[in-house]
Amino acid sequence: QVQLVESGGGLVQAGDSLRLSCAFSGRTFSTYTMGWFRQAPGKEREFVGTISRGGSRTYYVDSVKGRFTISRDNAENTVYLQMNTVQPEDTAVYYCGARLGATSTTESSFESWGQGTQVTVSS
């Protein structure tokens, strides 16, 4: 069974950078598409970005393009979300998800989830 543990969240100021990590265990990491999603207070969880199994393809929601970068280290079983120039609207709980198989941007296609890490951006 897949286990995911996010870390790296915290309180930052607008314009700062932050890197989230998600440690994967329980299965073969390189066979899983990994995604980042977020849920702001009072809102539905939304897609942030995803990375293919080999790491060669990434997809992002428009609101983070050019600011956020997803990467993965298949030797370390870890996926990262580099967040640059964060804004107050990026405040949310950030979750990583794992999907066995091909790349997807659809939340319902991800089978496993971490517990989330809180990111709060002050203005």
Side-chain angles (χ1 to χ4, degrees):
Q1 157 174 349
V2 171
Q3 293 184 328
L4 302 171
V5 179
E6 301 98 335
S7 61
L11 173 64
V12 295
Q13 293 188 330
D16 284 351
S17 296
L18 198 64
R19 189 175 81 158
L20 306 183
S21 300
C22 174
F24 175 106
S25 63
R27 291 291 185 269
T28 303
F29 182 57
S30 61
T31 64
Y32 282 76
T33 289
M34 299 299 295
W36 285 97
F37 294 76
R38 65 186 179 186
Q39 187 167 20
K43 295 188 176 182
E44 302 270 329
R45 188 156 61 181
E46 67 168 353
F47 167 77
V48 174
T50 188
I51 186 166
S52 62
R53 289 165 288 184
S56 61
R57 296 187 306 277
T58 53
Y59 304 91
Y60 301 94
V61 67
D62 285 348
S63 60
V64 308
K65 283 180 182 176
R67 299 189 299 123
F68 290 10
T69 302
I70 297 176
S71 61
R72 65 190 294 162
D73 185 337
N74 282 358
E76 296 294 329
N77 292 351
T78 302
V79 62
Y80 303 97
L81 180 66
Q82 178 67 43
M83 306 168 63
N84 295 332
T85 320
V86 295
Q87 300 298 317
E89 52 266 34
D90 295 319
T91 294
V93 177
Y94 283 73
Y95 298 90
C96 72
R99 164 183 161 75
L100 181 63
T103 306
S104 172
T105 62
T106 305
E107 179 182 351
S108 60
S109 70
F110 285 76
E111 304 105 358
S112 303
W113 296 93
Q115 81 291 348
T117 186
Q118 176 71 48
V119 173
T120 303
V121 183
S122 63
S123 57

